[in-house]
Amino acid sequence: MSEIFDHLVSKYKELGEDPKTYLVGLLYAKPLTYWDYIHTDTLLSLQQPKTGFKDETIFILYSQQTELFLKAILHELDQICCIQPSENLIREKIERCNMYMTLLIDLFKMMRTGIKKEDYHLFRNSLTPASGFQSVQFRFIELYATRLENLTRDCRLENRVDIEILLQHIYWRSAGINYKTGDKTLTLKLFEERYWDQLILLSKRLRGNTVEDQLSKFQTIPANLVDLLKTFDHLFNVAWPLTHLSTVRYFLIEEGECKRATGSSEWLEYLHPKYQQIKFFPKLWLKDEILDWRTK
């Protein structure tokens, strides 16, 4: 105990603080509880349905869990992009990202089995124009994972092009723009009002430091790490969108009628990965390899 005490005293002296003040504070501090540490009461109060349909709470819980897993993925990718990472660190972080993506895909079962279809068709009307399209963490993950040029719809855009111009051509904006009129949907307008500046700042910070950029600093990448990276690419850009698409089809196609999404996107074309064909790590894929997006 005396050794621990000495370490504590040294710690606060090195910080230029009086150790006695902190030690006296420990005498009166309350013990930490699980509910205070996790903020359980606050967490459980965050489900605020807009209607009286009971399954809307399940829909909110699903969406909130999705955002938490996305935050976990961002937490891992940020550690790759903010330092000079070793192969072992990248392997560890991508393994975790793959685990989180697998859990996210499994979470869709909550949507299919935990919500009554007829109730969803009614309470979803109260959610317009909100849409999962407005989940900015998805967009952040894309910016962390790959160069912005890989996310644009214009192959003529090169590295020297201004970041703001690249962002204006990013693939997902097509879901919120009527290219016949040039008008934006309200869903896209609100999203860009809220997050456009953040997307620009993050894109600038990650310029040359994305996961893809970090990989280019290695002369060779071990085969097992290549497999992990390609798995992450596939999970995020193929498996997740296809699972999302099948769930949306379940809810929005009824007796041959294709209902509109709350965000007013042409979701059948937007969600299917064969239309976007996004790759985070294009150099890892052989020319005759595909992410199996064309045949589903």
Side-chain angles (χ1 to χ4, degrees), residues 215-293:
L215 295 173
S216 69
K217 298 173 184 177
F218 295 100
Q219 288 187 343
T220 59
I221 305 174
N224 58 356
L225 179 53
V226 169
D227 289 341
L228 286 171
L229 291 160
K230 290 169 74 173
T231 296
F232 179 57
D233 211 342
H234 185 273
L235 286 170
F236 195 94
N237 291 311
V238 178
W240 166 265
L242 287 175
T243 303
H244 191 176
L245 179 61
S246 66
T247 302
V248 174
R249 277 176 171 157
Y250 171 77
F251 283 107
L252 296 188
I253 294 182
E254 194 170 45
E255 297 178 355
E257 179 188 1
C258 182
K259 299 180 180 295
R260 289 189 68 79
T262 53
S264 300
S265 68
E266 297 296 330
W267 57 269
L268 272 172
E269 291 190 4
Y270 173 70
L271 287 178
H272 202 300
K274 71 180 180 181
Y275 294 108
Q276 311 302 339
Q277 298 196 15
I278 299 298
K279 292 180 183 177
F280 287 159
F281 315 115
K283 292 182 179 180
L284 298 185
W285 297 92
L286 300 177
K287 288 184 178 180
D288 59 348
E289 282 185 311
I290 57 173
L291 298 180
D292 71 8
W293 48 45

Coordinates of all heavy atoms in Angstrom, one line a residue, residues 215-293:
L215 N -2.3 2.3 -46.0 CA -1.9 1.0 -46.5 C -0.8 1.2 -47.6 O 0.1 0.4 -47.8 CB -3.1 0.3 -47.1 CG -4.2 -0.2 -46.2 CD1 -5.3 -0.8 -46.9 CD2 -3.6 -1.3 -45.2
S216 N -0.9 2.3 -48.3 CA 0.0 2.6 -49.4 C 1.5 2.9 -48.9 O 2.4 2.8 -49.7 CB -0.4 3.8 -50.2 OG -0.3 5.0 -49.5
K217 N 1.6 3.0 -47.6 CA 2.9 3.3 -47.0 C 3.7 2.0 -46.8 O 4.9 2.1 -46.5 CB 2.8 4.1 -45.7 CG 2.1 5.5 -45.9 CD 1.8 6.2 -44.6 CE 1.1 7.5 -44.8 NZ 0.7 8.1 -43.5
F218 N 3.0 0.9 -46.9 CA 3.7 -0.4 -46.7 C 4.2 -1.0 -48.1 O 3.4 -0.9 -49.1 CB 2.8 -1.4 -46.1 CG 2.4 -1.1 -44.7 CD1 1.2 -0.5 -44.4 CD2 3.3 -1.3 -43.6 CE1 0.8 -0.2 -43.1 CE2 2.9 -1.0 -42.3 CZ 1.7 -0.4 -42.0
Q219 N 5.3 -1.5 -48.2 CA 5.8 -2.1 -49.4 C 5.0 -3.3 -49.8 O 4.6 -3.5 -51.0 CB 7.3 -2.5 -49.3 CG 8.3 -1.3 -49.2 CD 9.7 -1.8 -49.3 OE1 10.0 -2.9 -49.1 NE2 10.6 -0.9 -49.6
T220 N 4.7 -4.1 -48.9 CA 3.8 -5.3 -49.1 C 2.8 -5.4 -47.9 O 3.1 -5.0 -46.8 CB 4.6 -6.6 -49.2 OG1 5.3 -6.8 -48.0 CG2 5.5 -6.6 -50.4
I221 N 1.6 -5.9 -48.2 CA 0.6 -6.1 -47.2 C 0.4 -7.6 -47.0 O 0.1 -8.3 -48.0 CB -0.7 -5.5 -47.5 CG1 -0.5 -4.0 -47.8 CG2 -1.7 -5.6 -46.4 CD1 -1.7 -3.2 -48.3
P222 N 0.6 -8.2 -45.8 CA 0.4 -9.7 -45.7 C -1.0 -10.1 -46.2 O -2.0 -9.4 -46.1 CB 0.5 -9.8 -44.1 CG 1.3 -8.6 -43.7 CD 0.9 -7.5 -44.6
A223 N -1.0 -11.3 -46.7 CA -2.3 -11.9 -47.3 C -3.4 -11.9 -46.3 O -4.6 -11.6 -46.6 CB -2.0 -13.3 -47.8
N224 N -3.1 -12.2 -45.0 CA -4.2 -12.3 -44.0 C -4.8 -10.9 -43.7 O -6.0 -10.8 -43.5 CB -3.7 -13.0 -42.7 CG -2.6 -12.3 -42.1 OD1 -2.0 -11.3 -42.6 ND2 -2.2 -12.8 -40.9
L225 N -4.0 -9.9 -43.8 CA -4.5 -8.5 -43.6 C -5.3 -8.1 -44.8 O -6.3 -7.4 -44.7 CB -3.3 -7.6 -43.4 CG -3.7 -6.1 -43.2 CD1 -4.8 -5.9 -42.1 CD2 -2.5 -5.2 -42.8
V226 N -4.8 -8.5 -46.0 CA -5.6 -8.2 -47.2 C -7.0 -8.8 -47.1 O -8.0 -8.2 -47.5 CB -4.8 -8.7 -48.5 CG1 -5.8 -8.7 -49.7 CG2 -3.6 -7.9 -48.7
D227 N -7.0 -10.0 -46.7 CA -8.3 -10.7 -46.5 C -9.3 -9.9 -45.6 O -10.5 -9.8 -45.8 CB -8.2 -12.1 -46.0 CG -7.5 -13.0 -47.1 OD1 -7.6 -12.7 -48.3 OD2 -7.0 -14.1 -46.7
L228 N -8.7 -9.5 -44.5 CA -9.5 -8.7 -43.5 C -10.0 -7.4 -44.1 O -11.2 -7.1 -43.9 CB -8.7 -8.4 -42.2 CG -8.4 -9.6 -41.3 CD1 -7.4 -9.1 -40.2 CD2 -9.7 -10.0 -40.6
L229 N -9.2 -6.7 -44.8 CA -9.6 -5.5 -45.4 C -10.6 -5.7 -46.5 O -11.6 -4.9 -46.6 CB -8.3 -4.8 -46.1 CG -7.3 -4.2 -45.0 CD1 -5.9 -4.1 -45.7 CD2 -7.8 -2.9 -44.4
K230 N -10.5 -6.7 -47.3 CA -11.5 -7.0 -48.3 C -12.8 -7.4 -47.7 O -13.9 -7.1 -48.2 CB -11.0 -8.1 -49.3 CG -9.8 -7.6 -50.2 CD -9.1 -8.7 -50.9 CE -10.0 -9.3 -52.0 NZ -9.2 -10.2 -52.9
T231 N -12.7 -8.1 -46.5 CA -13.9 -8.5 -45.8 C -14.7 -7.2 -45.3 O -15.9 -7.1 -45.5 CB -13.6 -9.4 -44.6 OG1 -13.0 -10.6 -45.1 CG2 -14.9 -9.7 -43.8
F232 N -13.9 -6.3 -44.8 CA -14.5 -5.0 -44.4 C -15.2 -4.3 -45.5 O -16.3 -3.8 -45.4 CB -13.5 -4.1 -43.7 CG -14.0 -2.8 -43.2 CD1 -15.1 -2.7 -42.3 CD2 -13.5 -1.6 -43.7 CE1 -15.6 -1.5 -41.9 CE2 -13.9 -0.4 -43.2 CZ -15.0 -0.3 -42.4
D233 N -14.4 -4.2 -46.6 CA -14.9 -3.6 -47.9 C -16.3 -4.3 -48.3 O -17.3 -3.6 -48.6 CB -13.9 -3.8 -49.0 CG -13.9 -2.7 -50.0 OD1 -14.9 -1.9 -50.0 OD2 -12.9 -2.5 -50.7
H234 N -16.3 -5.6 -48.3 CA -17.5 -6.3 -48.7 C -18.6 -6.2 -47.7 O -19.8 -5.9 -48.1 CB -17.1 -7.8 -48.8 CG -18.3 -8.6 -49.4 ND1 -19.2 -9.2 -48.6 CD2 -18.6 -9.0 -50.6 CE1 -20.1 -9.8 -49.3 NE2 -19.8 -9.7 -50.6
L235 N -18.3 -6.2 -46.4 CA -19.4 -6.1 -45.4 C -20.1 -4.7 -45.5 O -21.3 -4.6 -45.5 CB -18.8 -6.3 -44.0 CG -18.5 -7.7 -43.6 CD1 -17.7 -7.7 -42.3 CD2 -19.7 -8.6 -43.5
F236 N -19.2 -3.7 -45.7 CA -19.8 -2.3 -45.6 C -20.5 -2.0 -47.0 O -21.5 -1.3 -47.0 CB -18.7 -1.3 -45.3 CG -19.2 0.1 -45.0 CD1 -19.4 0.4 -43.6 CD2 -19.5 1.0 -45.9 CE1 -19.9 1.6 -43.2 CE2 -20.0 2.3 -45.6 CZ -20.2 2.6 -44.2
N237 N -19.9 -2.3 -48.1 CA -20.3 -1.9 -49.4 C -21.2 -2.8 -50.2 O -21.7 -2.5 -51.2 CB -19.1 -1.5 -50.2 CG -18.4 -0.2 -49.7 OD1 -19.1 0.8 -49.4 ND2 -17.1 -0.3 -49.5
V238 N -21.3 -4.1 -49.7 CA -22.1 -5.1 -50.4 C -23.1 -5.7 -49.4 O -24.3 -5.6 -49.6 CB -21.3 -6.1 -51.1 CG1 -22.2 -7.2 -51.8 CG2 -20.4 -5.5 -52.1
A239 N -22.6 -6.4 -48.4 CA -23.5 -7.2 -47.5 C -24.5 -6.3 -46.8 O -25.7 -6.6 -46.7 CB -22.6 -8.0 -46.5
W240 N -24.0 -5.2 -46.2 CA -24.8 -4.3 -45.5 C -25.9 -3.7 -46.4 O -27.1 -3.7 -46.1 CB -24.0 -3.2 -44.8 CG -24.8 -2.0 -44.3 CD1 -25.1 -0.8 -45.0 CD2 -25.6 -1.9 -43.1 NE1 -25.9 0.0 -44.2 CE2 -26.2 -0.7 -43.1 CE3 -25.8 -2.8 -42.0 CZ2 -27.0 -0.3 -42.0 CZ3 -26.6 -2.4 -41.0 CH2 -27.2 -1.2 -41.0
P241 N -25.6 -3.1 -47.6 CA -26.6 -2.5 -48.4 C -27.6 -3.6 -48.9 O -28.8 -3.3 -49.0 CB -25.8 -2.0 -49.6 CG -24.5 -1.7 -49.1 CD -24.2 -2.8 -48.1
L242 N -27.2 -4.8 -49.2 CA -28.1 -5.8 -49.6 C -29.0 -6.2 -48.5 O -30.2 -6.5 -48.8 CB -27.3 -7.0 -50.2 CG -26.6 -6.9 -51.5 CD1 -25.8 -8.1 -51.9 CD2 -27.7 -6.6 -52.6
T243 N -28.5 -6.3 -47.3 CA -29.4 -6.6 -46.2 C -30.4 -5.5 -45.9 O -31.6 -5.7 -45.7 CB -28.5 -6.8 -44.9 OG1 -27.6 -7.9 -45.1 CG2 -29.4 -7.2 -43.7
H244 N -29.9 -4.3 -46.0 CA -30.8 -3.1 -45.9 C -31.8 -3.1 -47.0 O -33.0 -2.9 -46.7 CB -29.9 -1.8 -46.1 CG -30.6 -0.6 -45.7 ND1 -30.0 0.7 -45.7 CD2 -31.9 -0.3 -45.3 CE1 -30.8 1.6 -45.3 NE2 -32.0 1.0 -45.1
L245 N -31.4 -3.4 -48.2 CA -32.4 -3.5 -49.3 C -33.4 -4.5 -49.1 O -34.6 -4.2 -49.4 CB -31.6 -3.7 -50.6 CG -32.4 -3.8 -51.9 CD1 -33.2 -2.5 -52.2 CD2 -31.5 -4.2 -53.1
S246 N -33.0 -5.7 -48.7 CA -34.0 -6.8 -48.5 C -35.0 -6.4 -47.4 O -36.2 -6.7 -47.5 CB -33.4 -8.1 -48.2 OG -32.7 -8.0 -46.9
T247 N -34.6 -5.7 -46.4 CA -35.5 -5.3 -45.3 C -36.4 -4.2 -45.8 O -37.6 -4.2 -45.5 CB -34.7 -4.8 -44.1 OG1 -33.8 -5.8 -43.7 CG2 -35.6 -4.4 -43.0
V248 N -35.9 -3.2 -46.5 CA -36.7 -2.2 -47.1 C -37.8 -2.7 -48.0 O -38.9 -2.3 -48.0 CB -35.9 -1.1 -47.8 CG1 -36.8 -0.1 -48.4 CG2 -35.0 -0.4 -46.7
R249 N -37.3 -3.7 -48.9 CA -38.3 -4.4 -49.8 C -39.4 -5.0 -49.0 O -40.6 -4.9 -49.4 CB -37.6 -5.4 -50.6 CG -36.9 -4.9 -51.8 CD -36.1 -6.0 -52.5 NE -35.6 -5.6 -53.8 CZ -34.5 -6.1 -54.4 NH1 -33.9 -7.1 -53.8 NH2 -34.1 -5.7 -55.6
Y250 N -39.1 -5.7 -47.9 CA -40.1 -6.3 -47.1 C -41.2 -5.3 -46.6 O -42.4 -5.6 -46.6 CB -39.4 -7.0 -45.9 CG -40.4 -7.5 -44.8 CD1 -41.0 -8.7 -45.0 CD2 -40.6 -6.8 -43.6 CE1 -41.9 -9.2 -44.1 CE2 -41.4 -7.3 -42.7 CZ -42.1 -8.5 -42.9 OH -43.0 -9.0 -42.0
F251 N -40.7 -4.1 -46.2 CA -41.7 -3.2 -45.7 C -42.3 -2.3 -46.7 O -43.5 -1.9 -46.6 CB -41.0 -2.3 -44.7 CG -40.7 -2.9 -43.3 CD1 -39.5 -3.3 -42.9 CD2 -41.8 -3.1 -42.5 CE1 -39.3 -3.9 -41.7 CE2 -41.6 -3.7 -41.2 CZ -40.3 -4.1 -40.8
L252 N -41.6 -2.0 -47.8 CA -42.1 -1.0 -48.8 C -42.7 -1.5 -50.1 O -43.2 -0.8 -50.9 CB -41.0 0.0 -49.1 CG -40.5 0.9 -47.9 CD1 -39.6 2.0 -48.4 CD2 -41.7 1.5 -47.1
I253 N -42.6 -2.8 -50.3 CA -43.2 -3.4 -51.5 C -44.4 -4.3 -51.0 O -44.2 -5.2 -50.3 CB -42.2 -4.2 -52.4 CG1 -41.2 -3.3 -53.0 CG2 -43.0 -5.0 -53.5 CD1 -40.2 -4.0 -53.8
E254 N -45.5 -3.9 -51.4 CA -46.7 -4.6 -51.0 C -47.7 -4.7 -52.1 O -48.1 -3.7 -52.7 CB -47.4 -3.8 -49.8 CG -48.4 -4.6 -49.0 CD -48.8 -3.8 -47.8 OE1 -49.1 -2.6 -47.9 OE2 -48.9 -4.4 -46.7
E255 N -48.1 -6.0 -52.4 CA -49.0 -6.3 -53.5 C -48.6 -5.6 -54.8 O -49.5 -5.0 -55.5 CB -50.4 -5.9 -53.1 CG -51.0 -6.6 -51.9 CD -52.3 -6.2 -51.4 OE1 -52.9 -5.2 -52.0 OE2 -52.9 -6.9 -50.5
G256 N -47.3 -5.6 -55.1 CA -46.9 -5.0 -56.4 C -46.6 -3.5 -56.3 O -46.1 -3.0 -57.3
E257 N -47.0 -2.9 -55.2 CA -46.9 -1.4 -55.1 C -45.6 -1.1 -54.4 O -45.3 -1.6 -53.3 CB -48.0 -0.8 -54.3 CG -47.9 0.7 -54.2 CD -49.0 1.3 -53.2 OE1 -49.8 0.5 -52.7 OE2 -48.9 2.5 -53.0
C258 N -44.8 -0.2 -55.0 CA -43.5 0.2 -54.4 C -43.7 1.5 -53.7 O -43.9 2.6 -54.4 CB -42.5 0.3 -55.5 SG -40.8 0.8 -54.8
K259 N -43.7 1.5 -52.4 CA -43.9 2.8 -51.6 C -42.7 3.6 -51.6 O -41.6 3.1 -51.6 CB -44.4 2.4 -50.2 CG -45.7 1.6 -50.2 CD -46.1 1.3 -48.7 CE -47.4 0.5 -48.7 NZ -48.5 1.3 -49.2
R260 N -42.9 4.9 -51.4 CA -41.7 5.8 -51.4 C -41.1 5.8 -50.0 O -41.8 5.6 -49.0 CB -42.2 7.3 -51.7 CG -42.5 7.4 -53.2 CD -42.7 8.9 -53.5 NE -41.5 9.7 -53.4 CZ -40.5 9.7 -54.4 NH1 -40.6 8.9 -55.4 NH2 -39.4 10.4 -54.2
A261 N -39.8 6.0 -49.9 CA -39.1 6.1 -48.6 C -39.4 7.4 -48.0 O -39.9 8.4 -48.7 CB -37.6 6.0 -48.8
T262 N -39.3 7.5 -46.7 CA -39.5 8.8 -46.0 C -38.6 9.9 -46.5 O -39.0 11.1 -46.4 CB -39.4 8.6 -44.4 OG1 -38.1 8.0 -44.2 CG2 -40.4 7.7 -43.9
G263 N -37.5 9.5 -47.0 CA -36.5 10.6 -47.5 C -36.7 10.9 -48.9 O -36.0 11.6 -49.5
S264 N -37.8 10.2 -49.6 CA -38.1 10.5 -51.0 C -37.1 10.0 -52.0 O -37.1 10.5 -53.1 CB -38.4 12.0 -51.2 OG -39.5 12.4 -50.3
S265 N -36.2 9.2 -51.6 CA -35.2 8.7 -52.6 C -35.7 7.6 -53.4 O -36.7 6.9 -53.0 CB -33.9 8.2 -51.8 OG -34.2 7.0 -51.1
E266 N -35.1 7.4 -54.6 CA -35.4 6.2 -55.4 C -34.6 5.0 -54.8 O -33.6 4.6 -55.3 CB -35.0 6.5 -56.9 CG -35.8 7.7 -57.5 CD -37.3 7.4 -57.6 OE1 -37.7 6.2 -57.8 OE2 -38.1 8.3 -57.6
W267 N -35.2 4.5 -53.7 CA -34.4 3.6 -52.9 C -34.0 2.3 -53.6 O -33.0 1.7 -53.3 CB -35.1 3.3 -51.6 CG -36.5 2.7 -51.8 CD1 -37.7 3.4 -51.8 CD2 -36.9 1.4 -51.9 NE1 -38.7 2.6 -52.0 CE2 -38.3 1.3 -52.0 CE3 -36.1 0.2 -51.8 CZ2 -38.9 0.1 -52.1 CZ3 -36.8 -1.0 -52.0 CH2 -38.2 -1.1 -52.1
L268 N -34.8 1.8 -54.5 CA -34.4 0.5 -55.2 C -33.1 0.7 -55.9 O -32.3 -0.2 -55.9 CB -35.5 0.1 -56.2 CG -36.7 -0.7 -55.6 CD1 -37.8 -0.9 -56.6 CD2 -36.2 -2.1 -55.1
E269 N -32.9 1.8 -56.6 CA -31.7 2.0 -57.3 C -30.5 2.5 -56.4 O -29.4 2.2 -56.6 CB -31.9 3.0 -58.4 CG -32.7 2.5 -59.5 CD -32.7 3.4 -60.8 OE1 -32.0 4.4 -60.7 OE2 -33.4 3.1 -61.7
Y270 N -30.9 3.3 -55.4 CA -29.9 3.9 -54.5 C -29.2 2.8 -53.6 O -28.0 2.8 -53.4 CB -30.5 5.0 -53.6 CG -29.5 5.5 -52.6 CD1 -28.4 6.2 -52.9 CD2 -29.7 5.2 -51.2 CE1 -27.5 6.7 -52.0 CE2 -28.8 5.6 -50.3 CZ -27.7 6.4 -50.7 OH -26.8 6.8 -49.7
L271 N -30.1 1.9 -53.1 CA -29.6 0.9 -52.1 C -28.8 -0.2 -52.7 O -27.9 -0.8 -52.1 CB -30.7 0.4 -51.2 CG -31.3 1.4 -50.2 CD1 -32.5 0.7 -49.5 CD2 -30.3 1.8 -49.2
H272 N -29.1 -0.7 -53.9 CA -28.5 -1.8 -54.5 C -27.0 -1.5 -54.8 O -26.7 -0.5 -55.5 CB -29.2 -2.3 -55.7 CG -28.9 -3.8 -56.0 ND1 -27.6 -4.2 -56.2 CD2 -29.7 -4.9 -56.1 CE1 -27.6 -5.5 -56.4 NE2 -28.9 -5.9 -56.3
P273 N -26.1 -2.2 -54.2 CA -24.6 -1.9 -54.4 C -24.2 -2.0 -55.9 O -23.2 -1.4 -56.2 CB -23.9 -2.9 -53.6 CG -24.9 -4.0 -53.4 CD -26.2 -3.4 -53.3
K274 N -24.9 -2.7 -56.8 CA -24.5 -2.7 -58.2 C -24.6 -1.4 -58.8 O -23.9 -1.1 -59.8 CB -25.3 -3.8 -58.9 CG -26.8 -3.4 -59.2 CD -27.5 -4.5 -60.0 CE -29.0 -4.1 -60.2 NZ -29.7 -5.1 -61.0
Y275 N -25.4 -0.5 -58.3 CA -25.5 0.8 -58.9 C -24.4 1.8 -58.4 O -24.0 2.7 -59.1 CB -26.9 1.5 -58.6 CG -28.0 0.7 -59.2 CD1 -28.9 0.0 -58.4 CD2 -28.2 0.8 -60.6 CE1 -29.9 -0.7 -59.0 CE2 -29.3 0.1 -61.2 CZ -30.1 -0.7 -60.4 OH -31.2 -1.4 -61.0
Q276 N -23.9 1.6 -57.2 CA -22.9 2.4 -56.6 C -21.5 1.9 -56.9 O -20.6 2.6 -57.2 CB -23.1 2.6 -55.1 CG -24.5 3.0 -54.7 CD -25.0 4.3 -55.4 OE1 -24.2 5.1 -55.8 NE2 -26.3 4.4 -55.5
Q277 N -21.3 0.6 -56.7 CA -20.0 -0.1 -56.9 C -18.9 0.6 -56.2 O -17.8 0.9 -56.8 CB -19.8 -0.3 -58.4 CG -20.8 -1.2 -59.1 CD -20.4 -1.7 -60.4 OE1 -19.2 -1.6 -60.8 NE2 -21.3 -2.2 -61.2
I278 N -19.1 0.9 -54.9 CA -18.0 1.6 -54.1 C -17.0 0.5 -53.6 O -17.4 -0.5 -53.1 CB -18.7 2.3 -52.9 CG1 -19.6 3.4 -53.4 CG2 -17.6 2.9 -52.1 CD1 -19.0 4.5 -54.3
K279 N -15.8 0.8 -53.8 CA -14.7 0.0 -53.2 C -13.8 0.9 -52.3 O -13.4 2.0 -52.8 CB -13.8 -0.6 -54.2 CG -14.5 -1.7 -55.1 CD -13.5 -2.2 -56.1 CE -14.2 -3.2 -57.0 NZ -13.2 -3.7 -58.1
F280 N -13.6 0.5 -51.1 CA -12.7 1.3 -50.2 C -11.2 1.1 -50.6 O -10.4 2.0 -50.5 CB -12.9 0.9 -48.8 CG -14.1 1.4 -48.1 CD1 -14.6 0.7 -47.0 CD2 -14.8 2.5 -48.6 CE1 -15.8 1.2 -46.4 CE2 -16.0 2.9 -48.0 CZ -16.5 2.3 -46.9
F281 N -10.9 -0.1 -51.0 CA -9.5 -0.5 -51.3 C -9.4 -1.1 -52.7 O -9.1 -2.3 -52.8 CB -9.0 -1.5 -50.2 CG -9.4 -1.1 -48.8 CD1 -10.3 -1.9 -48.1 CD2 -8.9 0.1 -48.2 CE1 -10.6 -1.5 -46.8 CE2 -9.3 0.4 -47.0 CZ -10.1 -0.4 -46.2
P282 N -9.6 -0.3 -53.7 CA -9.7 -0.8 -55.1 C -8.4 -1.6 -55.5 O -8.5 -2.5 -56.3 CB -9.9 0.4 -55.9 CG -9.5 1.6 -55.1 CD -9.8 1.2 -53.7
K283 N -7.2 -1.2 -55.0 CA -6.0 -1.9 -55.4 C -5.8 -3.3 -54.8 O -5.0 -4.0 -55.3 CB -4.8 -1.0 -55.0 CG -4.7 0.3 -55.7 CD -3.5 1.1 -55.3 CE -3.4 2.4 -56.1 NZ -2.2 3.2 -55.8
L284 N -6.7 -3.6 -53.9 CA -6.6 -4.9 -53.3 C -7.4 -6.0 -54.1 O -7.2 -7.2 -53.9 CB -7.1 -4.9 -51.8 CG -6.3 -4.1 -50.8 CD1 -6.9 -4.3 -49.4 CD2 -4.8 -4.4 -50.9
W285 N -8.2 -5.5 -55.0 CA -9.1 -6.4 -55.7 C -8.5 -6.6 -57.1 O -8.1 -5.7 -57.8 CB -10.5 -5.8 -55.9 CG -11.2 -5.6 -54.6 CD1 -11.2 -4.5 -53.8 CD2 -12.0 -6.6 -53.9 NE1 -12.0 -4.7 -52.7 CE2 -12.4 -6.0 -52.7 CE3 -12.4 -7.9 -54.2 CZ2 -13.3 -6.6 -51.8 CZ3 -13.2 -8.6 -53.3 CH2 -13.6 -7.9 -52.1
L286 N -8.4 -7.9 -57.5 CA -7.9 -8.2 -58.9 C -8.9 -7.7 -59.9 O -10.1 -7.5 -59.6 CB -7.7 -9.7 -59.0 CG -6.7 -10.3 -58.0 CD1 -6.6 -11.8 -58.2 CD2 -5.3 -9.7 -58.2
K287 N -8.5 -7.6 -61.1 CA -9.3 -7.0 -62.2 C -10.6 -7.9 -62.4 O -11.6 -7.5 -62.8 CB -8.6 -6.8 -63.5 CG -7.6 -5.7 -63.4 CD -6.9 -5.5 -64.8 CE -6.0 -4.3 -64.7 NZ -5.3 -4.0 -66.0
D288 N -10.4 -9.2 -62.3 CA -11.5 -10.2 -62.5 C -12.3 -10.5 -61.3 O -13.2 -11.3 -61.3 CB -11.0 -11.5 -63.2 CG -10.0 -12.2 -62.2 OD1 -9.5 -11.5 -61.3 OD2 -9.6 -13.3 -62.5
E289 N -12.0 -9.8 -60.2 CA -12.8 -9.9 -59.0 C -13.8 -8.9 -58.9 O -13.7 -7.7 -59.3 CB -11.9 -9.8 -57.7 CG -11.0 -11.0 -57.4 CD -10.3 -10.8 -56.1 OE1 -9.6 -9.8 -55.9 OE2 -10.3 -11.7 -55.3
I290 N -15.0 -9.3 -58.4 CA -16.1 -8.3 -58.1 C -16.5 -8.5 -56.6 O -16.2 -9.5 -56.0 CB -17.2 -8.5 -59.1 CG1 -17.8 -9.9 -59.0 CG2 -16.9 -8.1 -60.5 CD1 -19.1 -10.1 -59.8
L291 N -17.2 -7.5 -56.1 CA -17.8 -7.7 -54.8 C -19.2 -8.3 -54.8 O -20.0 -8.0 -54.0 CB -17.9 -6.3 -54.1 CG -16.6 -5.6 -53.9 CD1 -16.8 -4.2 -53.3 CD2 -15.6 -6.4 -53.1
D292 N -19.4 -9.2 -55.8 CA -20.6 -9.9 -56.1 C -21.9 -9.0 -56.1 O -23.0 -9.4 -55.7 CB -20.8 -11.1 -55.2 CG -21.1 -10.8 -53.7 OD1 -21.4 -9.7 -53.4 OD2 -21.1 -11.8 -52.9
W293 N -21.7 -7.7 -56.5 CA -22.8 -6.8 -56.5 C -23.7 -6.9 -57.7 O -24.8 -6.4 -57.8 CB -22.4 -5.3 -56.3 CG -21.3 -4.9 -57.2 CD1 -21.1 -5.1 -58.5 CD2 -20.1 -4.2 -56.8 NE1 -20.0 -4.6 -59.0 CE2 -19.3 -4.0 -57.9 CE3 -19.7 -3.7 -55.6 CZ2 -18.1 -3.3 -57.9 CZ3 -18.5 -3.0 -55.5 CH2 -17.7 -2.8 -56.7

